[in-house]
Amino acid sequence: IQQAEFLQYLNYLSVKEYNLAKKHLHQYFTMMLNSGDESKNIRPFSALSLAAMHTMFQHNDLAMQYLKESIHLGQLLGEESCLSHCIAWTSYLQGAPVTRPTLSKDSDAVPSELEIVGHIHTLESMCKGGEKPADVLKYMSVIAP
């Protein structure tokens, strides 16, 4: 059921239904927090997701507030992955140019966390920039064969 809530969130995000997207995002994280062991490490990702959502709706001041909260929680809990995502979103909000990370030719190479964040940032930018879904899927198939 948690995954269904997140898919509903993504669906409403894609059709720019702010209130419904926010509702389903909150429901998803409420379910995650109530699910058990991992709840303490979900909180920074919850704030990060709210920052991303507000960015998508061009609520940049709110997005920055949630990013600051996510950074604070990520530092307290030692969530390096969340902090890496925060760096990418902060750069985006501050107008850093969007560049596509280079793809490794070595199929056995494991990408670093920052490379992964770069790919996520690229995918977000492609979606926001109105790229065709087929192009986004093609990019995804190249980075995660």
Side-chain angles (χ1 to χ4, degrees), residues 4 6 13 17-18 21 34 39 43 53 56 58 69 72 77 82-83 91 98 118 130 137-138 141:
F6 194 75
L13 189 65
E17 288 285 341
Y18 173 76
N34 293 330
S39 62
R43 294 181 194 281
M53 182 191 73
M56 300 297 272
Q58 299 177 352
E69 180 180 344
H72 175 73
L77 297 170
C82 184
L83 293 171
S91 296
V98 177
L137 290 172
K138 181 179 177 184
S141 70

Side-chain angles (χ1 to χ4, degrees), residues 87-130:
I87 291 169
W89 279 104
T90 302
S91 296
Y92 178 80
L93 282 171
Q94 292 176 344
V98 177
T99 59
R100 293 190 182 190
T102 58
L103 302 174
S104 172
K105 294 183 179 174
D106 181 4
S107 61
D108 293 332
V110 176
S112 72
E113 198 168 294
L114 287 177
E115 288 175 314
I116 292 169
V117 170
H119 290 304
I120 291 169
H121 182 64
T122 298
L123 288 167
E124 292 279 352
S125 298
M126 290 173 77
C127 292
K128 280 186 75 172

